[in-house]
Amino acid sequence: MAIVSLISSSVLIWMIKRSHASLSTTYHRILLGMCIADVIFSFGTSHFNFTAPSDNDYFVWNARGNQETCSAQGFLQSVGALSTVLYSCSINLYCLAVVKYQTSDEFIRKIEPFLHGAPIALSLVMNITLLVKKHFNDRGGGVCYAPVYSPPHCIGYEDGEVREGYEIPCGRGNDGTALLNDILFFVVIFVVPFVIGISLGMIYRYVVQSEKKMAAYGAGFEASDQQPIVTGSNEGVESSCWKERLQSMFSCCRRFTDQSSLTSNEDRNLSRSVLHRALAYSVAYFLTWSFVITTTCFTIADKEWPVSIWYLSNIFNPLQGFFNLGIFMYPKVMVAKSKTCNNLSWRQAFVKAFWSKGIYPASGRRGQPPNRAQRTPPVGEP
């Protein structure tokens, strides 16, 4: 499954780079960061256990590595995993800033370094510390994420002892600083889902309230947008002049109403588009990590994992890149399906969307500073 995600994220990076907008939009840059993080994570999980220490080959299939390969695999997997989940927060916070706070381009450019810096800096600092403290060890499944090395052959041996015929000391990493590993799990299990859930709820609440206001606003104009009845029997020049003035005034009101309705519809479509995209990335996050979070909770409670949860975790956890590609492609496929004279099949619409380069930036050139239309995810062409 990790190979599927690796290919999907690589394809998505290629599609972003070749698009007309390329990296001129904040959305594309954040998505690029998430794709790179997923590529790192996929590399860390596409090992088929051959990076696991050969000391454990008696109970780990295909264990042909050593402690160095084990530490490298654990470091890549952990950096990629933490960066990916934090980038999921960044996308939701970006959507919240665009929809709820109607932020300017200048403000978006100010907060964008934080949306990139927090996932990169936090994941690197925490995992480099774990690496230095020797907290990447094989727990027994071929994946090196255990804070302390305690395989079956170490039973009865003190920390630091090396059993004859083996190379890795028992109790490796048991130096009292495993608390950092618990903090890492706390961030993944509680903080990230909380931020994603709260931001998504705020986006939804704002969109619903805005649509209600727009509906009431439009109804008010519709009620007042009626031709007035002018009473009286005078047919003089003055009366005719006032009639012309009234007609001219209400004609202006009608034009203003039409323009306001068009702008309101565009804003509503944009808000809905951003909401749907934030919802899609949130669902992708929970599909990818909810089963991992469940198994982690079982581990903390010192309970045995249910077999079904273990299988679901191994199926969905490596598929973040695949979900991201699907979310990116969906609006493009729908546009290709609906805006064509040739009755395209779903396969043909997918191929057309795949090779599409999207819309041109408003500036007309790649790499120019984005305006509001560029920094917000378009409805049909991402």
Side-chain angles (χ1 to χ4, degrees), residues 353-369:
F354 181 81
W355 292 108
S356 170
K357 294 185 179 181
I359 59 175
Y360 282 96
S363 62
R365 296 180 181 178
R366 291 172 57 145
Q368 294 294 322

Side-chain angles (χ1 to χ4, degrees), residues 282-352:
S282 300
V283 171
Y285 165 79
F286 285 108
L287 275 176
T288 304
W289 294 101
S290 59
F291 302 109
V292 175
I293 292 173
T294 303
T295 57
T296 303
C297 291
F298 273 100
T299 301
I300 293 174
D302 199 22
K303 301 289 185 180
E304 186 177 350
W305 300 354
V307 176
S308 58
I309 298 296
W310 183 86
Y311 277 112
L312 290 171
S313 175
N314 280 274
I315 291 172
F316 285 100
N317 184 236
L319 290 179
Q320 178 79 61
F322 177 76
F323 294 143
N324 290 343
L325 181 61
I327 295 168
F328 187 82
M329 285 290 297
Y330 176 75
K332 298 168 74 70
V333 172
M334 295 305 295
V335 168
K337 184 74 173 170
S338 61
K339 290 188 176 180
T340 180
C341 300
N342 307 324
N343 240 343
L344 293 183
S345 65
W346 285 108
R347 183 189 64 82
Q348 292 171 326
F350 179 84
V351 172
K352 184 178 178 65

Side-chain angles (χ1 to χ4, degrees), residues 221 224-228 242-260:
F221 266 111
S224 63
D225 190 25
Q226 303 291 336
Q227 185 70 20
W242 278 106
K243 287 181 180 180
E244 291 177 359
R245 290 181 181 178
L246 286 172
Q247 289 175 354
S248 174
M249 179 180 68
F250 282 102
S251 177
C252 291
C253 287
R254 282 195 295 272
R255 287 197 299 270
F256 177 76
T257 303
D258 293 339
Q259 293 175 353
S260 299

Side-chain angles (χ1 to χ4, degrees), residues 95-114:
C95 292
L96 177 65
V98 170
V99 173
K100 179 174 174 60
Y101 297 106
Q102 299 291 314
T103 48
S104 64
D105 299 320
E106 183 180 357
F107 181 77
I108 287 291
R109 287 194 291 270
K110 286 181 179 179
I111 67 171
E112 186 177 351
F114 168 77

